[in-house]
Amino acid sequence: MPVEPTEASIRTRTVRRASIALGVGASAAVYLWHTDPHQPGQLLIPCPFKWATGLLCPLCGGTRMAYDLMHGDVMTAFHDNAVLLVLAAPAVAYAVGRWLVAGLGGRVHRPRLPARGNAVVLGIAAVWMVARNLVS
């Protein structure tokens, strides 16, 4: 018989998970701050899709974009991956914010994307991938 979590346990779990995520993210950001992905020979994980096909995936340029944003270069970040910057960054910020507010309020937030939402995201990703590979 499953036990319902209490508000305090949900809040504690949320704070613990947010702390771990913040620590991992901060460590990655510090490493990326000192590692210019625009320069060859850096110790960064390459895109497996580009490695296997030679084509740019919808997320290619995300690491360079994050580096450029951390250094205040929004125009170069836009050039690295415009769709990821304009659409995905605000969506992820909204989802993380909803999760954090709900968790600190003692509630569980389980984000759900309906089938139509999945189709829209996959459609945008496919169109972006084709467009950026035709242009470059």
Side-chain angles (χ1 to χ4, degrees):
M1 181 165 194
V3 177
E4 284 293 317
T6 64
E7 281 188 36
S9 69
I10 293 172
R11 192 174 297 115
T12 302
R13 186 174 51 207
T14 300
V15 168
R16 187 179 316 121
R17 288 179 180 175
S19 299
I20 291 169
L22 185 62
V24 170
S27 299
V30 166
Y31 178 75
L32 185 58
W33 176 269
H34 297 289
T35 307
D36 186 356
H38 296 286
Q39 302 300 321
Q42 301 295 333
L43 183 59
L44 294 166
I45 300 170
C47 174
F49 185 81
K50 185 174 182 182
W51 174 80
T53 66
L55 299 172
L56 297 172
C57 79
L59 299 177
C60 277
T63 304
R64 292 187 309 273
M65 181 189 78
Y67 175 85
D68 293 332
L69 287 175
M70 286 192 299
H71 287 84
D73 193 352
V74 178
M75 291 309 295
T76 305
F78 184 81
H79 178 266
D80 291 332
N81 195 323
V83 170
L84 194 61
L85 179 63
V86 173
L87 297 179
V92 168
Y94 172 76
V96 168
R98 288 268 323 253
W99 168 77
L100 191 57
V101 167
L104 292 176
R107 297 177 311 279
V108 176
H109 175 68
R110 291 185 178 89
R112 304 218 190 293
L113 193 60
R116 181 173 286 156
N118 284 326
V120 168
V121 169
L122 290 174
I124 290 171
V127 168
W128 175 235
M129 187 175 87
V130 169
R132 70 189 313 204
N133 281 296
L134 288 177
V135 170
S136 49

